[in-house]
Amino acid sequence: DDRKIGVLVMSYGTPESMDDIEEYYTHIRRGNPPTPEQLADLTNRYDAIVGGFFPLRENTDRQVCGLQEALDAIAPDTYVCYQGLKHARPYIEDGVKKMAEDGIREAIGIVLAPHYSIMSVGSYIKRAQESAEAQGLKMAFVKEYHLHPKLIRTLTARVQHGLKKFGADVPATDVKVLFSAHSLPERIIEMNDPYPQQLLATSAAVAEGAGVTDWQFTWQSAGRTREPWLGPDILDTLQEVREKGANYVLIAPIGFVSDHLEILYDVDIEAKSVAQQLGLKLERIEMLNTDPLYMETLAESVIALQQERG
Ligand code: FEC
């Protein structure tokens, strides 16, 4: 239906099966195949979380359906959602092509990541924009939604719920809250990238909403490359807060919106095991996945941009 407005929902992407890990990893590494050791290491991490099942794929599918429903509830028969992944099929370019084939002339792009960095959301947008131009499609993009009131509200509720995970005899004031997000190479700082500031703004708003005063922000999941990445890394932060006397830590990975490798392995297995060695009790907030307030955040961001466009 060419009167409908396309919505390209973009997400990181995950392999379809264990056999696809090499192709996926090669794509992330911009065409450079991983060494056998690197491939084995990544395969082992997927094995450890799921053993042949990739939760991000299903979660992204559900989020796209959830956004479609949220859009239909606010503006029936107006928007139609498509999926485009950064590192797996259907790629961003496949999603744009599909919209064009379906006769869509005008579309909005949005990424399933709330904070803008030129190296993250910026690169999704660049690829979508280039392909839209090639297909003769008019596209506009939601760049960020990290302070949308409904996003803050649902993250706040999740932190409040998380604070109770330590049991009735542990008062919330005894818990150190660590907000986290995916690290990026340090050179984004020289580019004046808004990513670190936006992450701090979300953290501060959620901490305030939840009445948390003892919190800090830390990075996680830094890439395995030679250049320096933004720190402090979560594993070092755990050690530091332990040395300063913390007994209970709640991780709030506000830079992510789904259960996937960076949560189920990097936090739930790796960080938990370091915490255990340090004698720290560690819990984490539940990820958003298809949280209705998150779906409304996305839908309202899309609609606001479309209205602005006129
Ligand atoms: O569950 C899954 O299958 C996918 C989990 C996953 C998510 C994710 C999110 C982000 N990444 C970001 C940046 C980078 C940069 C590099 C990089 C490398 C990897 C590797 C894997 C991986 N990332 Fe990722 N990322 C996920 C998975 N990421 C696997 C490769 C092995 C490794 O280093 O661990 C470095 C690329 C290079 O080598 O040059 C940079 C950012 C996000 C959060 C925003 C978003 O979702 O787009 C930023 C989920």
Side-chain angles (χ1 to χ4, degrees):
D1 183 351
D2 65 348
R3 284 158 311 164
K4 282 200 180 172
I5 296 150
V7 179
L8 183 67
V9 189
M10 294 179 277
S11 172
Y12 203 80
T14 190
E16 251 156 323
S17 71
M18 288 310 228
D19 294 336
D20 289 334
I21 295 177
E22 185 165 10
E23 183 187 353
Y24 173 71
Y25 203 173
T26 303
H27 194 276
I28 291 179
R29 295 165 47 87
R30 282 155 279 123
N32 301 309
T35 64
E37 294 75 36
Q38 288 170 322
L39 181 61
D41 178 66
L42 182 56
T43 303
N44 288 339
R45 281 186 276 151
Y46 279 116
D47 249 337
I49 62 165
V50 278
F53 163 74
F54 297 83
L56 182 56
R57 190 159 284 276
E58 208 166 284
N59 287 338
T60 301
D61 290 347
R62 288 208 191 102
Q63 286 170 324
V64 176
C65 290
L67 172 55
Q68 182 71 58
E69 283 166 22
L71 286 165
D72 289 344
I74 307 172
D77 289 325
T78 313
Y79 295 96
V80 53
C81 290
Y82 292 81
Q83 193 176 135
L85 306 178
K86 194 176 197 182
H87 297 302
R89 271 177 284 271
Y91 290 108
I92 290 170
E93 293 76 10
D94 300 330
V96 175
K97 189 154 170 258
K98 181 108 196 314
M99 291 198 289
E101 281 167 4
D102 288 354
I104 302 280
R105 311 254 171 81
E106 218 184 312
I108 300 271
I110 189 164
V111 180
L112 298 176
H115 306 85
Y116 183 88
S117 164
I118 186 156
M119 285 188 72
S120 65
V121 171
S123 80
Y124 289 84
I125 292 179
K126 185 162 179 280
R127 280 172 54 189
Q129 183 64 47
E130 280 170 9
S131 183
E133 276 163 24
Q135 303 283 341
L137 204 85
K138 250 178 65 196
M139 275 196 88
F141 297 90
V142 174
K143 285 181 70 183
E144 68 249 322
Y145 46 84
H146 64 293
L147 286 177
H148 192 290
K150 288 184 177 172
L151 181 78
I152 300 301
R153 211 207 303 165
T154 186
L155 288 172
T156 299
R158 279 156 199 264
V159 167
Q160 285 167 329
H161 176 75
L163 290 168
K164 298 198 182 107
K165 289 189 177 185
F166 298 91
D169 46 342
V170 178
T173 46
D174 281 7
V175 181
K176 177 101 190 174
V177 177
L178 294 181
F179 295 98
S180 70
H182 202 295
S183 182
L184 281 174
E186 254 175 37
R187 64 191 149 86
I188 66 157
I189 302 288
E190 287 130 55
M191 303 172 177
N192 249 330
D193 198 76
Y195 188 62
Q197 285 315 316
Q198 290 192 356
L199 287 159
L200 277 179
T202 303
S203 306
V206 172
E208 193 190 336
V212 169
T213 51
D214 188 14
W215 65 273
Q216 65 193 67
F217 180 80
T218 188
W219 300 100
Q220 63 164 88
S221 313
R224 292 153 171 78
T225 64
R226 270 161 214 221
E227 64 179 326
W229 287 62
L230 294 170
D233 183 79
I234 195 167
L235 303 181
D236 300 326
T237 303
L238 288 175
Q239 170 135 20
E240 183 209 306
V241 302
R242 181 62 174 151
E243 281 162 8
K244 289 188 178 154
N247 294 307
Y248 306 98
V249 168
L250 177 67
I251 309 274
I254 49 154
F256 298 104
V257 299
S258 179
D259 285 302
H260 49 49
L261 191 69
E262 316 296 80
I263 297 300
L264 303 175
Y265 189 87
D266 296 356
V267 176
D268 291 358
I269 296 178
E270 199 178 37
K272 246 188 198 151
S273 113
V274 167
Q276 206 164 21
Q277 286 162 29
L278 293 166
L280 265 174
K281 283 235 160 52
L282 185 149
E283 297 285 352
R284 111 172 129 72
I285 66 166
E286 309 290 329
M287 300 309 288
L288 294 172
N289 296 310
T290 54
D291 180 307
L293 287 174
Y294 179 46
M295 297 299 104
E296 287 171 32
T297 297
L298 296 171
E300 290 173 14
S301 303
V302 165
I303 291 170
L305 180 60
Q306 181 60 22
Q307 282 168 351
E308 213 177 281
R309 217 175 172 192

